[in-house]
Amino acid sequence: MAELPSPPEGIVLAHFIVSDDVERSRRFYTEVLGGRLAFSGPGGLTYVALANSWIIINVGGGPTDDKPSVTLETPRDPDRVSSFLNIRVRDIHALYAEWSARGAQFLTPPKQHEYEIRCYIRDPDGHLIEVGQTTDPEGDWTPAHWPPSTRTGVS
């Protein structure tokens, strides 16, 4: 397994998800989305390297001393979402075909919107994932053109 790098400067951003079955979720993020197992530790804590970030997968649980009123659990209603993973890709149609062949179940095929083509899938615990491709002719919505202040900690 790869060692998790420390942020050289600034921050490293990862997405934490609560899973009822960590191994099942690990398989989804590695075998379906193409991530790589980076760390597997005590109690099932799992890091999957996916593109330029990590998905941290762990079981839910009750409050702890540093989050005394917070309970971690999988989504109760997958149709009510307050946060989701957003993945940007170069060729959404190729990725849609590849991930569908690996078992991903998309809510709809990719759909054209004003500046992007996008579609959504759910992981095995119901977490929503947006997959999108920019179609902005000026290229203003690609990460390479975002203002430096939004790229803190990125080399």
Side-chain angles (χ1 to χ4, degrees), residues 95-114:
L95 189 118
Y96 175 82
E98 179 182 336
W99 287 359
S100 293
R102 293 182 188 167
Q105 296 181 353
F106 287 83
L107 277 60
T108 67
K111 302 215 178 251
Q112 178 69 55
H113 293 267
E114 186 175 7

Side-chain angles (χ1 to χ4, degrees), residues 44-108:
L45 176 64
T46 298
Y47 281 61
V48 173
L50 184 62
N52 59 348
S53 193
W54 292 272
I55 306 298
I56 303 169
I57 309 166
N58 206 356
V59 295
T64 59
D65 64 348
D66 55 346
K67 52 178 183 49
S69 64
V70 176
T71 297
L72 300 177
E73 60 185 21
T74 57
R76 289 184 183 183
D77 180 351
D79 291 330
R80 298 184 65 86
V81 176
S82 64
S83 171
F84 58 88
L85 182 62
N86 184 300
I87 300 174
R88 306 320 269 173
V89 300
R90 185 173 301 280
D91 184 345
I92 195 168
H93 296 291
L95 189 118
Y96 175 82
E98 179 182 336
W99 287 359
S100 293
R102 293 182 188 167
Q105 296 181 353
F106 287 83
L107 277 60
T108 67

Side-chain angles (χ1 to χ4, degrees), residues 14 25 40 51 90 126 148:
S25 291
S40 182
R90 185 173 301 280

